[in-house]
Amino acid sequence: MRAARLIKMVLLLQSRPAMTGAELARELEVSERTVTRDAQALSEAGVPVYAERGRAGGYRLVGGYRTGLTGLARGEAEALFLSGVPGALREMGLEDAASAARLKVAAALLPSMRDAPRAAAQRFHLDAPAWFREPETPELLAVIAEAVWDDRCVRARYRRGEGEVERELEPYGLVLKAGVWYLCARVREGGAFRTYRIDRFVGAEHLKDRFSRDQDFDLPGFWDGQAERFARSILRAEVVVRLSEAGVRGLPHAVDPVAARDALAAAGEPDGQGWVTVTLRVESEDVAHTQLTALGAEAEVVSPESLRKRLAENAVRLAELYRPE
C-alpha cells in the first residue's frame, strides 16, 4: 500500500511544477505528517524531492527528474478511455485505476503539454443522470463490471414479475442510460443476446470459466436496436391527432421520439388551415392524455372519442379556472 502511494506521489510531483503538503495530502488521502514522512523516504531512496518552507513553499522534484514508472497497466489503459465519466467509473469500482492512468499520462507529457488534462477537464463534463432524479448505484454493479472486464461468466438471479429467474450469462457490455445501468449479455443456454436492468439483479456470482467474446459484437449498435425495439413494444395504442405548425415542432418533445418520428413520416399534406393529421402510437390513453395536454391548443385529438372527451373537459375546467372575476 505504501509503495503504491510513494509511486503516486512521485507521479504527482512529476506532472506539476510543485505541490503543497495540503494538496498532496488531499490527493493521496493521508495526513500532511504522512506526506512529510513519505517525502523523506523518497529522498533517502534517491528520488530528489525538495521541500520548500514558508507560505509559498511545497514539494518539487529537482533537476528535471523523471521516473520510468509510466507504463500503463491494461486495467488502467481501459479505464483511461472512460475518464470523462467519473461517476460511472466510481460506480464500477474503476476510479483508482483511472486516476493512476491519468497520472502516468500526465507524467509522460512534455512540460509544454502539462496543462492538457486540466484544459480538457475545463471544457468537457458528462452528467449522465436525468434531471430531477437521484441516481442510485445498483448493489451488484461492481461485481458485474468486474465480470465484463474479465470476460468472466456469471450466474445471476433477477426479478421478473412476481418471481425470480436464474441464468448463466456471458456479460458482454454495460450501458448507462439516463442514470440507469443495463447489462447486455448472452444467455449461455440458447445463445441469445438480451438486456437486463442491473438494479433488478438480486444475486450474481463469478463462475470459474471465461467466455470467448464474439469479435463481431457491436455494443453501441446492439443497444440502439434494443432501445428502439423496446420503445416500439410499449406503444400499444393509437390516437389520431391534428397538429398546427407549432404542434408539429413540439410533438417530438411531448411524446416518445420514436413514435413522433414515425407519425410525422407517415403524415399527409397539411389541410386548408395548415394543420397536419397524424396517427400516433402511444403507451396508453392515460399517458397520451398527459403528453398531449402539454401541446395545449396546438393539438386536437380526433380519436378515440374517450380521449377527445377528456381533453375537452380539461379545457372547460381551465376556462372556468382562469375566467376573469
Side-chain angles (χ1 to χ4, degrees):
M1 177 68 74
R2 191 191 185 198
R5 190 175 71 242
L6 292 174
I7 291 172
K8 185 173 182 179
M9 183 174 179
V10 173
L11 291 171
L12 283 167
L13 292 174
Q14 188 171 312
S15 64
R16 308 178 194 181
M19 295 183 69
T20 66
E23 288 172 337
L24 283 167
R26 184 169 58 252
E27 291 281 355
L28 299 172
E29 298 181 349
V30 295
S31 67
E32 292 190 48
R33 181 174 297 179
T34 299
V35 169
T36 301
R37 289 198 297 265
D38 285 352
Q40 183 176 354
L42 287 171
S43 181
E44 291 172 355
V47 179
V49 178
Y50 177 69
E52 293 179 327
R53 300 186 180 280
R55 293 184 59 184
Y59 296 87
R60 69 176 70 246
L61 292 175
V62 179
Y65 176 86
R66 298 183 67 79
T67 177
L69 296 172
T70 54
L72 290 178
R74 180 177 178 84
E76 294 168 348
E78 291 170 335
L80 182 62
F81 287 101
L82 294 171
S83 59
V85 282
L89 282 167
R90 184 169 53 253
E91 293 175 6
M92 289 190 291
L94 297 173
E95 188 174 30
D96 289 344
S99 175
R102 287 193 296 269
L103 279 173
K104 289 180 178 181
V105 170
L109 293 175
L110 295 172
S112 61
M113 299 174 61
R114 293 277 171 80
D115 64 338
R118 181 171 178 270
Q122 288 178 330
R123 289 162 173 80
F124 176 77
H125 174 69
L126 175 64
D127 185 7
W131 286 105
F132 313 117
R133 176 175 182 171
E134 281 295 325
E136 295 184 4
T137 303
E139 182 179 349
L140 295 172
L141 175 60
V143 175
I144 299 297
E146 184 179 350
V148 169
W149 287 115
D150 201 29
D151 291 344
R152 177 80 65 177
C153 297
V154 297
R155 180 180 292 110
R157 289 184 295 110
Y158 63 95
R159 296 189 303 273
R160 189 169 73 179
E162 298 297 324
E164 293 182 5
V165 177
E166 183 174 286
R167 292 282 187 273
E168 289 190 2
L169 304 173
E170 297 176 353
Y172 266 67
L174 294 167
V175 176
L176 178 60
K177 170 71 171 179
V180 180
W181 284 97
Y182 295 87
L183 171 68
C184 300
R186 181 158 60 185
V187 182
R188 297 189 75 186
E189 183 179 349
F193 282 96
R194 295 182 181 174
T195 302
Y196 302 87
R197 275 186 63 144
I198 295 183
D199 58 6
R200 292 179 182 166
F201 283 4
V202 295
E205 59 176 317
H206 295 175
L207 301 179
K208 291 183 179 180
D209 49 333
R210 291 180 170 85
F211 63 93
S212 297
R213 182 174 289 267
D214 182 352
Q215 297 303 315
D216 292 330
F217 179 77
D218 174 19
L219 179 60
F222 174 77
W223 173 258
D224 288 346
Q226 289 287 98
E228 184 156 335
R229 279 192 291 274
F230 172 75
R232 294 181 189 279
S233 70
I234 64 174
L235 303 174
R236 302 185 180 93
E238 285 188 350
V239 298
V240 178
V241 188
R242 290 181 69 238
L243 299 167
S244 68
E245 289 186 15
V248 169
R249 293 193 300 270
L251 188 67
H253 305 289
V255 304
D256 180 85
V258 173
R261 185 178 68 233
D262 290 349
L264 293 174
E269 294 297 320
D271 59 21
Q273 297 176 310
W275 286 53
V276 174
T277 300
V278 300
T279 300
L280 179 70
R281 291 183 302 160
V282 294
E283 187 173 346
S284 66
E285 185 174 312
D286 287 339
V287 172
H289 176 263
T290 301
Q291 293 175 333
L292 294 175
T293 296
L295 294 177
E298 307 303 328
E300 176 194 359
V301 170
V302 178
S303 68
E305 184 61 31
S306 55
L307 179 56
R308 181 181 174 88
K309 182 178 179 181
R310 288 175 66 178
L311 289 168
E313 290 173 350
N314 278 4
V316 171
R317 293 175 60 192
L318 284 170
E320 289 291 332
L321 187 62
Y322 289 101
R323 178 176 294 175
E325 294 293 339

